[in-house]
Amino acid sequence: MTASEAVTDALRDLHARYAGVREGRRADYIPELARSDPDAFGIAVVSMDGHCYSAGAADTAFTLQSVSKPFVYALALSTHGLDEVGRWVGAEPSGEAFNAISLEARTGRPANAMVNAGAIVTTALVPGSPDLPAFSRILTCLSRFAGRRLDVDEDVYGSEAETGDRNRALAYLIRSTGTLPLDPVAAVDTYFRQCSVRATAVDLAMMAGTLAHGGVNPLTGETVVSPEVAAQVLAVMATCGMYNASGDWLLRVGLPAKSGVSGGLIAAGPARFGLATYSPLLDAAGTSVRGQAALGALSERLGLHLMRNPALPGSTVTLVTTADVLPSAPSGRRERALHERVGVVAAQGALDFTAVERVLYALDESGPDRAGPVVLDLREVTGVDPVALALLHAGLARLARDGRRAAVVDPGDRLGPPDVVRERTGQDLPRFGSREEAVERCAQAVAGPVRAPTRWPRPTPGGR
């Protein structure tokens, strides 16, 4: 049991809320997709520090389908640059369905890279050679975004190829306008394989997180694409990723997103989180019903809307250490050994969901072997929003249930009144006016009843 599992609890709550939704139907026009489990439903979130949280069927594998489009677009942009890619495919919302004939009247260019017509062109822009075919480049790119090697579901690929006449027709139509830089048959075959790459909701959250992290995979640390390319892709996702529902999605949810007819759905909070869901029951636009509801609620609950809560500058967690390395640590061997068993975490600035997740994770990592008492120093915290406060209370309660004693330096009463803290954390959480005093009380608790009273001493004036 860890403090950061309070984030997982929030995802489990959302999963429980929407798992019973039965609206929608599977994409039966691709026979293999019609065999998916209609009850499957998973949610995953990845932070910019590479921390992953999930609930439900987040490890169930399914094919990317149209969720692959932003990442192949990123590959094309990385290879050719925005201006050259823009010669072949536009960046304007089509206001039409994913498989519509969305071509500019004058140039014949597809409207954007998120609709099928544009995605086929984008795929065709990926260079290939006898030694390194285009699809090998695509699969390697998708795998780098996910942070692990992905593979192809050959059954789904065969099903796509057998029923994909509309996409072939789109490719031939685009070719007739002169805006498809490859043989239509080859372009569509590579596109079918791209859509048939298999991943999980956790993988998709990591892929979305890589875009949100400026092109750097939060787990592996690898730079997959440049920050400029990541920003360009997110911009097109924001305006075009949800097809003819993109405007309403951006208005209500406020995150760049991309859906797929297998049931996958990703969203990215720049510099904050990558989010993903999987549920194969789709609405009329081909988007997961449960996924839309869950990500919409998650954005609302955690304050992720781009236009309402920009990413916070600076570092939230300023210190994660043990008390024996602090300037105030005693010099005596026994006293220093006691202080070595006390973890210390300090935070600063305004705490929202993004910031408090880092604090909770730091609490878990503090102390030797992630055990023993811990001091949480909130003196430099300027404010805590309601979502962050609830998660902080839940995290401190989890530490207590795990047998880890906590003390808080909170002269500004950021945690709230003592009776509220008691109700939400299940304990009379000791609060102090100085870090030194909190550390000393924790060290006394480590020493045992000979060195410390059985109950926490009353804090000195200035604390709670």
Side-chain angles (χ1 to χ4, degrees):
M1 185 179 293
T2 61
S4 55
E5 283 185 32
V7 179
T8 304
D9 288 343
L11 297 186
R12 288 173 179 155
D13 288 345
L14 282 176
H15 184 273
R17 186 191 308 176
Y18 296 110
V21 173
R22 292 289 180 266
E23 288 83 2
R25 56 184 297 177
R26 291 168 289 185
D28 53 8
Y29 60 90
I30 301 175
E32 279 297 315
L33 298 187
R35 296 188 176 95
S36 59
D37 179 3
D39 294 325
F41 177 34
I43 309 173
V45 174
V46 169
S47 76
M48 298 299 90
D49 301 310
H51 311 153
C52 184
Y53 308 91
S54 63
D59 291 318
T60 297
F62 56 95
T63 54
L64 296 180
Q65 300 300 322
S66 289
V67 174
S68 65
K69 294 173 181 175
F71 305 103
V72 178
Y73 183 51
L75 177 58
L77 290 170
S78 297
T79 304
H80 301 290
L82 180 60
D83 290 341
E84 177 60 20
V85 171
R87 290 182 55 230
W88 301 94
V89 61
E92 296 297 331
S94 69
E96 297 179 304
F98 65 93
N99 58 357
I101 304 173
S102 300
L103 306 180
E104 291 180 352
R106 183 175 58 86
T107 65
R109 290 189 315 170
N112 60 72
M114 301 297 108
V115 293
N116 287 9
I120 292 169
V121 173
T122 301
T123 298
L125 288 172
V126 177
S129 66
D131 294 333
L132 188 60
F135 179 69
S136 294
R137 292 179 183 269
I138 289 172
L139 184 59
T140 297
C141 175
L142 294 172
S143 299
R144 291 171 68 204
F145 269 105
R148 71 176 185 93
R149 185 68 180 175
L150 303 179
D151 61 9
V152 174
D153 187 320
E154 294 293 344
D155 291 335
V156 172
Y157 164 70
S159 192
E160 295 249 13
E162 189 175 318
T163 60
D165 288 340
R166 184 177 181 89
N167 283 324
R168 293 188 182 93
L170 280 172
Y172 276 105
L173 181 60
I174 299 166
R175 177 72 166 181
S176 72
T177 70
T179 53
L180 184 66
L182 191 68
D183 173 68
V185 174
V188 173
D189 183 73
T190 302
Y191 175 69
F192 287 154
R193 283 200 170 275
Q194 159 192 323
C195 291
S196 302
V197 171
R198 187 162 37 197
T200 67
V202 170
D203 293 326
L204 294 194
M206 190 67 67
M207 296 169 80
T210 300
L211 289 175
H213 198 30
V216 177
N217 186 295
L219 184 64
T220 67
E222 180 186 6
T223 299
V224 182
V225 295
S226 69
E228 292 76 18
V229 166
Q232 290 160 3
V233 173
L234 289 174
V236 174
M237 287 172 62
T239 57
C240 309
M242 300 295 280
Y243 308 122
N244 49 329
S246 294
D248 189 67
W249 172 272
L250 190 60
L251 175 67
R252 297 178 185 277
V253 182
L255 294 172
K258 187 71 199 77
S259 60
V261 296
S262 59
L265 178 60
I266 63 171
R272 307 184 79 185
F273 287 93
L275 307 96
T277 61
Y278 168 60
S279 176
L281 295 180
L282 312 178
D283 63 12
T287 301
S288 171
V289 175
R290 293 188 189 115
Q292 287 185 84
L295 289 189
L298 197 61
S299 175
E300 177 67 26
R301 179 171 179 176
L302 305 181
L304 299 178
H305 197 294
L306 283 177
M307 312 306 173
R308 200 167 55 202
N309 196 358
L312 299 171
S315 174
T316 298
V317 177
T318 58
L319 182 68
V320 183
T321 189
T322 50
D324 61 306
V325 303
L326 297 176
S328 59
S331 56
R333 179 180 300 176
R334 186 172 187 275
E335 288 76 11
R336 200 169 189 89
L338 293 175
H339 281 65
E340 186 179 1
R341 294 168 63 185
V342 178
V344 180
V345 173
Q348 68 175 5
L351 301 187
D352 68 349
F353 172 68
T354 304
V356 84
E357 182 272 338
R358 292 173 176 153
V359 174
L360 294 174
Y361 197 86
L363 287 173
D364 288 340
E365 294 294 308
S366 65
D369 302 320
R370 301 174 64 176
V374 58
V375 172
L376 175 59
D377 189 343
L378 300 178
R379 286 176 300 170
E380 300 301 319
V381 169
T382 58
V384 185
D385 76 18
V387 169
L389 185 61
L391 285 172
L392 198 53
H393 287 154
L396 290 168
R398 281 184 164 277
L399 285 181
R401 291 198 295 270
D402 200 32
R404 294 194 67 184
R405 192 185 295 263
V408 182
V409 183
D410 186 21
D413 281 339
R414 299 301 180 190
L415 287 181
D419 56 333
V420 173
V421 175
R422 185 182 306 111
E423 177 185 353
R424 294 184 178 178
T425 67
Q427 59 185 310
D428 287 313
L429 189 69
R431 288 191 275 179
F432 301 91
S434 72
R435 182 190 299 169
E436 291 74 19
E437 185 180 9
V439 165
E440 185 59 33
R441 298 300 187 269
C442 285
Q444 290 177 8
V446 169
V450 174
R451 292 291 306 274
T454 57
R455 295 183 65 184
W456 286 89
R458 183 185 301 275
T460 59
R464 285 286 189 276

